[in-house]
């Protein structure tokens, strides 16, 4: 159909999702109850989707806290998660 097209790479997969490696991270992270609650509420509300299903203000209202407080707890939780993940990959 497109004679000028040239195939430069091809790979075969056994099934959907086979291109991903098995996770190696143990997930040993210490979060405070507030950090966990903020992270869980934000995730469940779709805050981490693209585009977002909920704003920080909406999630904060659900938790009866300010948006600034929500951002504080989320950043602390995210830092702990990323730090733990990176440490596990560097070992």
């Amino acid at each position: 159909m497109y004679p000028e097209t040239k195939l430069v790479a091809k790979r075969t997969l056994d099934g959907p999702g086979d291109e991903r490696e098995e996770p190696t991270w143990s997930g040993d992270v210490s979060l405070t109850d507030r950090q966990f609650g903020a992270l869980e509420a934000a995730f469940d509300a779709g805050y981490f989707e693209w585009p977002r299903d909920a704003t920080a203000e909406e999630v904060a209202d659900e938790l009866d806290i300010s948006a600034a407080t929500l951002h504080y707890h989320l950043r602390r939780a995210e830092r702990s998660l990323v730090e733990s993940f990176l440490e596990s990959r560097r070992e």
Side-chain angles (χ1 to χ4, degrees), residues 49-88:
E49 297 298 322
W50 187 259
R52 289 189 169 134
D53 294 334
T55 66
E57 290 75 16
E58 292 169 335
V59 177
D61 285 345
E62 181 183 321
L63 296 172
D64 198 28
I65 59 176
S66 71
T69 301
L70 174 72
H71 282 293
Y72 173 79
H73 292 310
L74 286 179
R75 287 177 193 241
R76 299 288 296 199
E78 291 168 351
R79 178 173 172 70
S80 293
L81 290 166
V82 170
E83 182 178 38
S84 176
F85 176 77
L86 291 175
E87 284 176 1
S88 73

Side-chain angles (χ1 to χ4, degrees), residues 27-58:
D28 295 331
V29 180
S30 294
L31 299 179
T32 66
D33 289 342
R34 286 181 170 236
Q35 289 170 354
F36 182 82
L39 193 62
E40 183 177 40
F43 183 83
D44 289 346
Y47 177 78
F48 296 106
E49 297 298 322
W50 187 259
R52 289 189 169 134
D53 294 334
T55 66
E57 290 75 16
E58 292 169 335

